[in-house]
Amino acid sequence: MSLVTDEIRASASEVYHGDAICQEKSKFLLTEMSLPNGLLPLEDIEECGYVKDTGFVWLKQKKEKKHKFEKIGKLVSYGTEVTATIEKGKIKKLTGVKTKELMLWITLSDITVNESNPDKISFQATSGLYRTFPVSAFQVEDVKKDVGVAKDAKVVEGDVTKETQVKEV
């Protein structure tokens, strides 16, 4: 049963359909909320939405996805529907996300960037157990594609024009 009702959709500030725009908007929202942009490595996202008044956000993907965060060696499962309430530095009431601990899948409920040490992020399970990791383990660098920049570009700084070499990507 979906947590996203027609009433929630109608009250949403933003609703998007299609993987490309949903990828872009979800990463943007995470960044705006001071969270690492790689927390939700979903694929084939069909719909995403955000209710600004309550902070409720949802993402729907075609099928469940398992992702291993290599820097910390953790396997995480993302269901077909992921929902949460999001605010600066926090994700609360998370649904659809589980992490594997030993041989058990543990449902996550909250994610918080440490206020006193913003380089640390904590994940809390519904049972109350929690783990803390470096934020950098969940940060994804944007890969820029070659957009036709000339090899010999001119950069103007104040009144000085500099010749610069631009590498092709």
Side-chain angles (χ1 to χ4, degrees):
M1 184 172 120
S2 177
L3 293 175
V4 183
T5 63
D6 289 336
E7 184 179 318
I8 290 172
R9 270 192 193 86
S11 67
S13 316
E14 303 172 32
V15 176
Y16 300 97
H17 298 275
D19 186 59
I21 189 74
C22 289
Q23 293 283 349
E24 179 184 326
K25 293 298 183 179
S26 64
K27 285 184 174 111
F28 177 78
L29 181 61
L30 288 168
T31 303
E32 284 291 303
M33 294 296 168
S34 303
L35 294 160
N37 66 358
L39 275 178
L40 301 169
L42 306 182
E43 291 178 351
D44 294 329
I45 304 173
E46 296 178 311
E47 179 181 282
C48 65
Y50 178 52
V51 181
K52 194 170 189 173
D53 294 341
T54 62
F56 184 77
V57 64
W58 74 90
L59 298 113
K60 289 186 175 190
Q61 59 182 347
K62 289 182 182 177
K63 61 182 182 178
E64 181 180 305
K65 179 179 191 270
K66 289 186 173 56
H67 177 80
K68 185 170 185 178
F69 289 97
E70 295 295 334
K71 291 181 181 177
I72 58 170
K74 288 291 175 190
L75 185 62
V76 179
S77 173
Y78 297 88
T80 56
E81 182 176 275
V82 175
T83 67
T85 302
I86 192 168
E87 59 186 64
K88 269 294 193 217
K90 296 179 184 177
I91 295 177
K92 299 177 180 180
K93 301 177 185 173
L94 182 64
T95 68
V97 182
K98 298 183 248 177
T99 183
K100 194 161 191 179
E101 289 292 327
L102 298 174
M103 293 173 28
L104 299 173
W105 284 99
I106 309 289
T107 302
L108 295 178
S109 62
D110 297 294
I111 301 172
T112 308
V113 172
N114 189 321
E115 287 181 27
S116 61
N117 184 357
D119 294 333
K120 298 289 182 187
I121 187 166
S122 296
F123 297 81
Q124 185 171 348
T126 52
S127 63
L129 298 173
Y130 71 94
R131 301 267 302 219
T132 301
F133 299 101
V135 167
S136 61
F138 305 95
Q139 192 65 37
V140 176
E141 296 301 320
D142 288 332
V143 178
K144 301 286 183 195
K145 293 183 181 177
D146 181 16
V147 289
V149 177
K151 286 187 179 182
D152 294 312
K154 291 186 179 185
V155 178
V156 178
E157 291 182 18
D159 293 335
V160 181
T161 301
K162 298 179 181 177
E163 294 285 335
T164 183
Q165 292 288 321
V166 178
K167 288 185 180 179
E168 289 183 326
V169 181

